[in-house]
Amino acid sequence: MSTTANSSSATVGGKTSQLAVVCHGATDLRVEERGIPVPGDGEAQIKVGVTGLCGSDLHYYSHGANGTFKILSPMVLGHESCGIVTALGPNLPKTVNLKVGDRVAMEVGVYCKTCKFCKIGRYNLCSNMRFASSAKTFPHLDGTLREVMTFPAELLHKLPPTLDLPLAALAEPLSVVLHAFRRAHLTPGARILVLGAGAVGLLACSLASASGASSVIAVDIEQGKLDFAAQMNWATGTYLLPKGPRVSGLDALAAAQTGWEGLKSSDAVQAVEGLAEGFDAVFECTGVESCMQLAVMAAAPGTKVLFVGMGTPNLLLPTGPAMLREVDLIGVFRYANCYPDALALLGSGRLGDVGKMVTQRYPLDRAGEAFEDMRRGRDKDGNTVIKPMVGNLELR
């Protein structure tokens, strides 16, 4: 990694410059020295705590793109974050109630407020949205893997006093899960299947359990993640899906059918009467085509599939059988109006000890190591990577 110098505009804690983790292209990650920004109209300046790395960050690091969104200019990565307010700009909206020293979580999608989706509260569908660390729009909006940032103050959410600052970074993936659950309209006693036991999948298991699901089955290709779900009592059963090559189209459909037959005959499913006939809701959290196909197969008649995972732009789904069984196929894109409830949940303890999901912590200058560990799925000591955090490890 290399560093480059930029002139600073402000000082924070006596410092006139800061470090930022910048992606220039596939596996070209640099820790650069940049200036400290001054908050403008309606903005706050935040001393950033930690940032949780997620799949989209890894796609940008590994490929210089996330699906069809390609990096066109150097971009600071990261969007699951929290921090402490260090300054407030002029002309703050009247709805903002912040002061210097407040602990906040950053909701990093800046929406237009004027389109039809923003006006009805579905701002996650705003076509003009600029999302931090996403190359969907250009110029790109830099992310949170830096020491100091400015952001619209109305998108900063104060933390409950019971919530530790680093755990507030989990509010972003939990908001995705909350949005999915709201679209699912589940009732207590539901039987839930979660495909993918990464951070989002594990939070889905935790929320399902806390919401009164009678059965929560987690599926993954990594035994360590399934063991974690079971140890946390977030899953009533688990199934290790055999690893295979990543295929598409009819080959993926055949792999999905094999996977569903294996899951149906597993101890986890056979232990629950009638579960082999299908689940009340399936949360697909991988974005892998064969898993998305398996999700449709695993849904019981008259139920629904929530497609939470992203990453396959075009795919073959068994829509004919889904229509005959009246299985609703529901897309989930980010979230809207979820952050306050996500933070309240994290602070309440209802989800259990979610902090154990944070399996690795790295300072900013070791961000490259964090991404490589995430890409391998294990750190240098052989430990499973679930949710790595990068940033200011001392900020509380």
Side-chain angles (χ1 to χ4, degrees), residues 83-236:
I84 296 176
V85 175
T86 48
L88 295 168
N91 303 317
L92 295 181
K94 292 181 179 179
T95 55
V96 170
N97 180 27
L98 290 174
K99 65 181 184 301
V100 171
D102 279 343
R103 305 179 311 144
V104 294
M106 291 87 93
E107 183 175 355
V108 295
V110 183
Y111 47 96
C112 74
K113 302 181 184 178
T114 60
C115 72
K116 64 178 181 180
F117 293 113
C118 286
K119 288 179 178 178
I120 64 172
R122 299 185 70 180
Y123 58 81
N124 57 312
L125 301 179
C126 173
S127 61
N128 302 309
M129 177 178 281
R130 299 185 69 217
F131 198 86
S133 77
S134 170
K136 181 180 180 180
T137 56
F138 185 83
H140 309 321
L141 183 61
D142 279 340
T144 61
L145 279 170
R146 43 184 161 158
E147 293 180 281
V148 181
M149 64 183 288
T150 55
F151 214 70
E154 62 188 347
L155 294 175
L156 305 181
H157 301 274
K158 286 202 274 190
L159 307 192
T162 54
L163 181 59
D164 289 340
L165 180 65
L167 288 186
L170 294 175
E172 204 278 342
L174 180 57
S175 290
V176 174
V177 172
L178 267 176
H179 184 56
F181 270 66
R182 288 175 179 177
R183 287 178 62 72
H185 300 290
L186 299 176
T187 56
R191 301 174 304 176
I192 307 299
L193 175 64
V194 177
L195 296 172
V200 168
L202 288 169
L203 287 170
C205 290
S206 175
L207 185 56
S209 179
S211 301
S214 60
S215 298
V216 181
I217 307 299
V219 175
D220 203 275
I221 59 173
E222 297 288 344
Q223 187 63 51
K225 294 178 179 179
L226 296 176
D227 291 342
F228 181 83
Q231 290 163 7
M232 296 298 294
N233 292 318
W234 292 343
T236 57

